[in-house]
Each structure stands twice: as structure tokens, then as C-alpha cells.
Amino acid sequence: MQTVTTARETLGSKREAKNDKVRRIMNFLQRVDLPLDDIDNLSVIHVAGTKGKGSTCAYAESILRHHGVKTGFYSSPHMVEARERIRINGRPITKDLFTFYFWDVYIKLLNTKEDNEGTMPLYFSFLTVMAFTLFVKEKVDVVLLEVGIGGEYDYTNFVRTPVACGICSLGLDHTTQLGHTLEEIAWHKAGIFKRGVPAVTIQQEESAMNIILQRAQEIQCPLYVAEPLTEEDLRTHSLTLGISGDKQVYNAGLALHLCRLWLRRRGNGDGTLGPENDEPHVCLNTVKTIPRLHTGELTQEIKTGLSRCYWPGRAQTLKKTGVTYYLDGAHTIESMQQCVRWFIQAADEEARHINGRVSRSLIFNMTGERSASSMLHHLVPCGFHVAAFCPNIPSTKKVIADQVSFKHPKTTILEKSVSYRQDWDDLVSKAEEGTSCQSANFPCISTALKWATHDREPFCCDVTATVQVATGDLHHVQVLVTGSLILVGDVLGIIYPTLND
């Protein structure tokens, strides 16, 4: 009896937590003169997941944009500038537009602060309110909405009438907020489901799939599984996906079917959706009975959208004279495994076409409480000659507002960077005979880049790299930057300052 009572109390507290967030965000929306009817009238595709939700939204945005649709896209985090989180027709909003809507929203919230117990939104919820204000006033046709963290209690879960919901790859991340098992995490992600609204997931582990099915039954929404694009699909359509990496066939497949659901609702579907009935699948009782959605025929708009999709910082390659940067914000064990497969294949292929000695460098940092050793373990076989460890600080002197984090003291992040290097050295020392790598710690990213590239580019460093590396007859440097999307974004801001121009 006590167990039942406790479970009910826990469920009640969870519902209250969600309702509290929804009430807060709705209060902010009301204070900026954004009626609930305007939100309901937006055509939203809502996507949750541990890895790939940004890529899935990027593919879906590109597909719909190439159908002539005016798209809005809200994502997180940003790479270089906060305005990247809010996109119109695939491009970050302009600085002028960002400034206009920022002050429009901020002043309205500030003027109503005293009448609302002094409350003001935090960073993510403020940008969410700002994004939806912009999407309504700029009259977008569709909003691609990426969940921040989780789903059930995420600030984006105030949307009541999405057109479709998607779940991409699930894994163990943000465990302090979401739980330490796939089942707990799946419960949170499926919290974006809405009654009668079709939901599509990629194939997950069986335990997670059972939870997703259970939640779909409880919420009473139709559920489908999107099959990934196959090698035959890619060959048949002479298609190369716009984002590299072996998992992108899953993200692209999910995006494809979310778009087809949206296009069908709009009245111009291509007839390859599979089941036409959007009523809840009340008869489903096992994962095997969930309808599968297959690729089918691809229209020219879909092929163009998939091939021209651009999503920086994810399995991205930037080639410069004497240096090639491989950038991937892998920050879970599963995504690091994918990153390593992509990097080794791409770097080996590049090296085969270079006449001269090639050196490989690693620049690494990570955030959160994940195990650095378990992440770094997968990087040892990459054959790095040097490894640089630094905090997510672009420069020790020049402060860039959009790239500053106030979550942890500077001393703490510097200490963590030192511990990551120690973990790396321990792993290299235990590796197979002949494995060696020179490592070093740096106070900022600029100095780490200067050292890792063997001074190949004139970075503006305010600290001298005291660790020297013998270059000899070195012809080309391959630099992998990974472990944190924030690190990747900061590096992009340094080596590609015109990213958003």
C-alpha cells in the first residue's frame, strides 16, 4: 500500500513539475502579447532525442524549404552566435532582426515584472519566447522545434497542437535530470507526444521501445517506426547526404517521414506515407506490431533537401592550406564511437592523397559529469601524434559574449582540463606497444589551436605555447576537435569567423 501511495505521489509531483514549467512559459508568452491561439495556429514539428535531433530538424527544414515552404527552426545550443538558434529559411536570423525581437520581448517582460511576482525568464526560456514571437510575426509556414533537454518537462513542451512528433536516437545523457536508464530517458522523450498527433521514432533498444509504445498508448497517439535510408536507397537515387556520419541515414529517414506527414496534412503529400489513418493504434500491444515507414520513392525536392542540408559542427570538415579540421561535437559514448569511425575513414582517405608526412592532432574538452576516460578510450586508436587539452575559453583576454559560460568557475574548468589530460596519458601508456602521443594543457582554445596546428595559422594568441613540437618535414596536419559542442563552436568562431555572414 505504501508503494502505491509513493508512486502516486511521485507521479503527482512530476505532473506538477511539468505544469509549473508550462504555466511559467505561458505567463511569459502572455506578457509579450502572444495569444495562445497564435501558438496553436503555428504548424509545428516537434523533435526529441539524445543524439541527432538537431540533424533531424536540419534535414526536415531543408526538405520543406526546397518544397517552397517558409521555414522557422529553433535549436540549441548555438555554435558561434546566439542568433543561430533561431533560423528563417535555413539561415540564422540577422543581427538587426535578433536585436529588434530581443528588445521587443525583453522590455515587455521587464515592464510586467512587478505585476508577476518579479519573475523573469532564464536564458533558454527567454530565447524560446523570443523565437515563437518571431515565428508568429514573421508568418512562417512551419516550425522545426528541437527539444532542449528531455521532453516531458522541457520548456518547449507548451506546444499543444503539433503536426507531428519525432524521437531520434536515445542514449545515456543528462542523467541527473532524466534518469540513469534508457527506460527513464525514453519516458521523458516521449513526453512530447500529443493525443491524436502522429509520432514517429527510429528503432530503439527494445526496453526503450516498450516505454515509447506504452506512452503512445497512454497519450493515445498513432505511433510509427521510421526505417533508415539504405545503401540501396542512396545508390538508386545517386544521393549523398549533406551531413557526414553513419548514423545520418537514421536522422534523414526520420526527417523524411516527419516531412511527409506535414505535407500530407497540408494537402500535397507524395502518397508514400504508408498508413493513412491517424487514429490512435489502440490495438498495438507489442513493439513488433508498430507500423514501419519505408523510404519509398524520393521526389526531387526531397533529394535536394537531403543532399544540401547544412548543419555545422557535426561531422564537419574544413580544409585550409596545410591543415584540415575535423569537427564533431560528440559528447556521449555512442556519439564518440560514431565520431571515431567517421574521422578514421575520412582522415585515412585524405592522407592517401597527400604526398608527404601527415600529422594528427586532437583537441579535446568535455562538459558535465560524464566519464572522460570512457570517452577518451575510443580516441586512442586514431593515431594522434599530439593531444591538446583546454577549457571552453576561446581566449584568455578577448571576451566573446555568445561564447561565455557562467555555469562553472574558471579554476574548476581548468582543473578538469588537466584531469582529462592525465586520463589520456594513462590510456596511451596502457595501449598497445608503439602507441605514443605528446600531450599538453593550455589555458584557452586559441593557444591549443596554435600548438595543435604546428603554427600553420596565425591565430591571435595572448599566451605563448611553451610546449614545442618537432615539425621536421611535416607536410599536412589533421586536427580533430571533439568532446563538446561548445568547444567545437568556439573553434569555429576562431577558424571560420564568417560562418554566419
Side-chain angles (χ1 to χ4, degrees):
M1 187 66 176
Q2 179 64 37
T3 303
V4 173
T5 303
T6 303
R8 285 174 179 168
E9 289 173 350
T10 301
L11 181 59
S13 64
K14 284 182 176 181
R15 284 174 177 161
E16 182 59 31
K18 176 182 179 180
N19 290 338
D20 184 51
K21 279 196 172 184
V22 171
R23 278 195 298 267
R24 270 184 278 167
I25 204 83
M26 294 310 300
N27 170 259
F28 298 141
L29 291 167
Q30 181 184 23
R31 285 160 58 184
V32 299
D33 303 321
L34 198 61
L36 187 58
D37 287 347
D38 287 351
I39 300 294
D40 289 344
N41 288 334
L42 280 174
S43 190
V44 176
I45 295 175
H46 204 180
V47 179
T50 306
K51 289 295 296 179
K53 55 186 181 291
S55 300
T56 298
C57 286
Y59 278 123
E61 185 283 325
S62 185
I63 290 170
L64 294 176
R65 176 161 40 88
H66 284 91
H67 276 84
V69 173
K70 184 176 183 179
T71 63
F73 181 6
Y74 181 56
S75 66
S76 61
H78 59 268
M79 292 285 101
V80 179
E81 299 173 272
R83 62 190 178 95
E84 297 167 23
R85 296 178 181 232
I86 307 171
R87 296 172 181 255
I88 299 289
N89 287 332
R91 295 294 303 164
I93 59 174
T94 64
K95 292 179 181 179
D96 287 344
L97 205 59
F98 185 93
T99 302
F100 174 83
Y101 280 103
F102 176 92
W103 288 114
D104 177 61
V105 169
Y106 181 78
I107 290 171
K108 287 175 180 175
L109 289 168
L110 191 64
N111 288 341
T112 55
K113 177 180 176 181
E114 296 308 316
D115 293 333
N116 289 272
E117 301 178 344
T119 58
M120 289 289 283
L122 299 175
Y123 184 86
F124 183 80
S125 51
F126 177 87
L127 287 177
T128 303
V129 172
M130 180 177 156
F132 273 80
T133 301
L134 184 146
F135 293 148
V136 168
K137 293 187 177 181
E138 297 297 319
K139 295 180 171 54
V140 300
D141 296 318
V142 62
V143 174
L144 288 307
L145 179 59
E146 179 188 347
V147 166
I149 295 176
E152 177 74 18
Y153 306 139
D154 189 67
Y155 274 111
T156 65
N157 206 21
F158 66 91
V159 175
R160 303 187 304 180
T161 57
V163 173
C165 298
I167 297 182
C168 49
S169 178
L170 299 183
L172 298 178
D173 196 19
H174 300 294
T175 53
T176 54
Q177 297 107 313
L178 306 181
H180 296 271
T181 67
L182 273 182
E183 293 91 335
E184 290 174 297
I185 288 170
W187 185 91
H188 280 276
K189 307 297 184 180
I192 66 170
F193 291 173
K194 301 294 182 292
R195 182 186 176 99
V197 174
V200 187
T201 179
I202 68 165
Q203 183 65 46
Q204 315 282 354
E205 290 190 19
E206 185 174 359
S207 60
M209 286 297 297
N210 284 328
I211 297 298
I212 291 171
L213 174 58
Q214 178 184 323
R215 296 225 67 188
Q217 291 171 326
E218 292 169 352
I219 295 169
Q220 293 188 310
C221 68
L223 179 64
Y224 305 100
V225 173
E227 295 289 348
L229 299 181
T230 64
E231 288 296 327
E232 184 179 352
D233 292 328
L234 299 178
R235 281 196 307 270
T236 300
H237 297 285
S238 301
L239 178 61
T240 300
L241 297 177
I243 310 173
S244 299
D246 54 9
K247 280 291 184 179
Q248 293 305 324
V249 291
Y250 291 89
N251 299 331
L254 176 57
L256 166 68
H257 292 296
L258 290 172
C259 289
R260 282 176 170 164
L261 284 167
W262 188 90
L263 290 165
R264 189 179 80 191
R265 186 66 59 89
R266 185 180 170 115
N268 57 345
D270 59 11
T272 55
L273 279 168
E276 289 292 329
N277 182 13
D278 276 353
E279 293 301 315
H281 297 302
V282 293
C283 61
L284 298 183
N285 51 25
T286 66
V287 169
K288 291 182 179 179
T289 60
I290 301 173
R292 260 55 177 175
L293 300 178
H294 299 278
T295 303
E297 188 58 38
L298 300 183
T299 64
Q300 187 57 51
E301 292 89 349
I302 290 174
K303 289 188 286 186
T304 303
L306 291 173
S307 63
R308 294 188 182 177
C309 178
Y310 174 66
W311 197 228
R314 288 80 169 177
Q316 182 182 8
T317 303
L318 280 176
K319 294 187 178 183
K320 296 194 173 188
T321 303
V323 183
T324 302
Y325 297 95
Y326 296 86
L327 307 160
D328 190 75
H331 56 276
T332 67
I333 292 176
E334 294 83 1
S335 59
M336 185 59 75
Q337 291 171 327
Q338 295 163 32
C339 171
V340 167
R341 288 195 294 271
W342 161 72
F343 172 71
I344 290 177
Q345 180 179 359
D348 283 353
E349 178 63 24
E350 180 190 42
R352 278 193 285 271
H353 297 88
I354 295 175
N355 295 320
R357 187 166 69 88
V358 177
S359 178
R360 286 187 182 176
S361 303
L362 170 68
I363 299 179
F364 180 89
N365 192 38
M366 55 179 278
T367 58
E369 302 304 321
R370 307 173 188 90
S371 167
S373 181
S374 61
M375 296 274 282
L376 291 166
H377 164 76
H378 297 286
L379 289 163
V380 174
C382 291
F384 296 112
H385 300 94
V386 301
F389 298 86
C390 60
N392 293 340
I393 300 174
S395 168
T396 55
K397 286 186 178 179
K398 185 179 179 182
V399 177
I400 304 172
D402 283 6
Q403 296 178 328
V404 175
S405 173
F406 299 98
K407 287 186 177 180
H408 304 287
K410 186 176 178 179
T411 52
T412 301
I413 59 178
L414 285 170
E415 288 169 359
K416 283 194 172 185
S417 177
V418 171
S419 71
Y420 301 155
R421 180 195 175 190
Q422 292 171 344
D423 289 340
W424 173 258
D425 288 344
D426 288 344
L427 288 166
V428 171
S429 68
K430 296 172 184 176
E432 63 183 54
E433 188 175 348
T435 303
S436 64
C437 177
Q438 184 178 357
S439 68
N441 277 107
F442 297 95
C444 67
I445 296 170
S446 293
T447 315
L449 277 167
K450 186 177 180 70
W451 183 74
T453 61
H454 301 276
D455 240 348
R456 290 294 173 103
E457 289 204 86
F459 296 113
C460 296
C461 296
D462 43 82
V463 179
T464 303
T466 55
V467 184
Q468 301 300 317
V469 178
T471 57
D473 60 345
L474 183 60
H475 185 78
H476 196 84
V477 183
Q478 297 173 325
V479 182
L480 174 64
V481 183
T482 191
S484 161
L485 268 173
I486 300 172
L487 171 67
V488 168
D490 288 347
V491 169
L492 273 171
I494 296 170
I495 67 173
Y496 192 7
T498 60
L499 174 70
N500 296 316
D501 290 350

